[in-house]
Amino acid sequence: MKKVKGYIKRKSMLYVTGVEYGDYTMNHVLGCAHGCRYPCYAFMMKKRFGKVSSYEEWLEPYLVENTLELLDTEIPKLRDKIKSVQLCFTTDPFMYRYDEVGEMSLAAIRKLNKNGIKCTVLTKGILPIELAELSEENEYGITLVSLTEAFRKRMEPHSAKYPERLDALKKLHDRGCKTWISMEPYPTPNLVRQKLEKILDAVSFTDRIIFGRTNYSKDVSSFPEQKDFYNQCANQVIEFCSEHGIAYHIKEGTLTQLDEA
Ligand code: SF4
């Protein structure tokens, strides 16, 4: 197991995401040991605003030690406005091998659920089975953009292996939990040769799939057929989900054929 680099205090915890499929969010860690190289939007923003100075620093997470105290203060004020809280947008709530982070995430989810607030979780780590004992309203998700381990090692170097991630999600599904997949940022063929149908088949047990293109990447913007590629992939996801009774959301800017018709 790994230890966080240190502890910080914050003044607030719950805030509105402003993204297309989110409501409220909380980010109780600064930094993320997974070190994704897509690039990671959270890292780019934290670097731009001077919160971290380098990629190496980003890899060493700081836990917000007053997370639960902040929730105790904020939940009563916001309870009536919140539809759900997503963990997390700028870090990972079940950071691989960082038990302290996972324990804080579980405690936060328990507290939110106790106050009647649903949580949506997304990780590139391992979802703990204890989540199955929490609110039935919660939704548990993993990011899965490939099944090729060599690609994971290159692009998400310190995350959990794909089979382990999937296995933990399936166990929660088998216990009756709602599960979902974030298939974003999906890579173009110049980054990895793979068959989308194989990934879709591997996640056919889930309740919802969110599919989105890769942004902010020179490799992707230099791939000449990227628009056609993403249109084809998005249509394939829609077809697959429709056939299997899976809810789906295609992120803005991914399916462009309709805009141009
Ligand atoms: S898991 Fe998310 S927050 Fe962490 S490095 Fe990867 S993209 Fe960034």
Side-chain angles (χ1 to χ4, degrees):
M1 281 307 134
K2 294 184 176 168
K3 299 283 283 175
V4 293
K5 173 86 172 166
Y7 302 90
I8 52 173
K9 284 198 176 182
R10 288 227 175 109
K11 292 193 175 131
S12 59
M13 185 52 58
L14 295 167
Y15 67 93
V16 178
T17 62
V19 306
E20 45 186 294
Y21 64 92
D23 184 36
Y24 275 74
T25 185
M26 58 175 279
N27 297 293
H28 50 299
V29 183
L30 172 64
C32 182
H34 291 162
C36 302
R37 292 188 174 276
Y38 301 126
C40 166
Y41 182 75
F43 166 60
M44 290 196 305
M45 288 298 113
K46 294 286 180 194
K47 193 157 176 250
R48 181 186 293 178
F49 293 106
K51 301 282 182 198
V52 291
S53 59
S54 65
Y55 175 76
E56 289 67 33
E57 200 181 311
W58 176 251
L59 294 182
E60 299 191 307
Y62 286 80
L63 189 61
V64 179
E65 63 183 356
N66 60 334
T67 298
L68 300 177
E69 291 84 339
L70 287 170
L71 289 179
D72 282 336
T73 315
E74 292 175 18
I75 288 172
K77 292 182 203 155
L78 295 169
R79 190 168 20 208
D80 296 341
K81 291 189 193 154
I82 299 177
K83 289 194 208 93
S84 68
V85 172
Q86 176 149 344
L87 293 85
C88 299
F89 268 90
T90 67
T91 186
D92 195 300
F94 292 102
M95 209 173 285
Y96 192 46
R97 298 210 164 111
Y98 283 83
D99 279 6
E100 260 175 303
V101 172
E103 276 159 24
M104 184 71 95
S105 301
L106 273 173
I109 297 168
R110 278 197 189 99
K111 197 176 274 295
L112 288 158
N113 285 170
K114 212 170 139 197
N115 284 278
I117 299 170
K118 162 188 164 175
C119 293
T120 305
V121 174
L122 181 63
T123 188
K124 292 188 185 81
I126 308 286
L127 290 162
I129 197 66
E130 290 97 309
L131 290 168
E133 285 143 31
L134 307 185
S135 167
E136 288 176 3
E137 293 295 306
N138 292 343
E139 295 181 29
Y140 305 124
I142 58 166
T143 302
L144 195 80
V145 295
S146 179
L147 295 172
T148 305
E149 277 298 308
F151 176 77
R152 183 193 65 77
K153 282 188 193 151
R154 188 157 43 98
M155 300 305 277
E156 307 168 359
H158 311 294
S159 62
K161 290 179 182 166
Y162 294 138
E164 287 181 44
R165 243 185 258 183
L166 264 170
D167 190 50
L169 189 73
K170 180 73 167 51
K171 284 192 174 119
L172 288 170
H173 164 80
D174 292 345
R175 290 278 300 268
C177 301
K178 291 182 196 162
T179 58
W180 66 290
I181 297 290
S182 172
M183 213 174 275
E184 184 201 21
Y186 194 76
T188 41
N190 56 330
L191 286 169
V192 61
R193 288 254 159 218
Q194 59 182 7
K195 291 206 181 315
L196 177 56
E197 59 262 37
K198 282 202 172 163
I199 309 171
L200 290 169
D201 280 342
V203 301
S204 61
F205 64 88
T206 56
D207 301 291
R208 184 163 59 108
I209 295 176
I210 291 181
F211 183 81
R213 56 165 292 148
T214 297
N215 293 305
Y216 319 108
S217 159
K218 284 192 191 120
D219 291 320
V220 172
S221 51
S222 64
F223 182 66
E225 300 94 22
Q226 48 151 314
K227 276 195 174 181
D228 283 349
F229 173 74
Y230 281 123
N231 282 328
Q232 276 172 24
C233 290
N235 283 319
Q236 201 177 335
V237 171
I238 293 169
E239 202 178 314
F240 182 90
C241 290
S242 307
E243 271 172 19
H244 290 78
I246 299 171
Y248 63 84
H249 176 84
I250 307 295
K251 292 286 293 283
E252 275 170 24
T254 303
L255 186 60
T256 51
Q257 68 190 170
L258 294 176
D259 306 344
E260 288 162 6

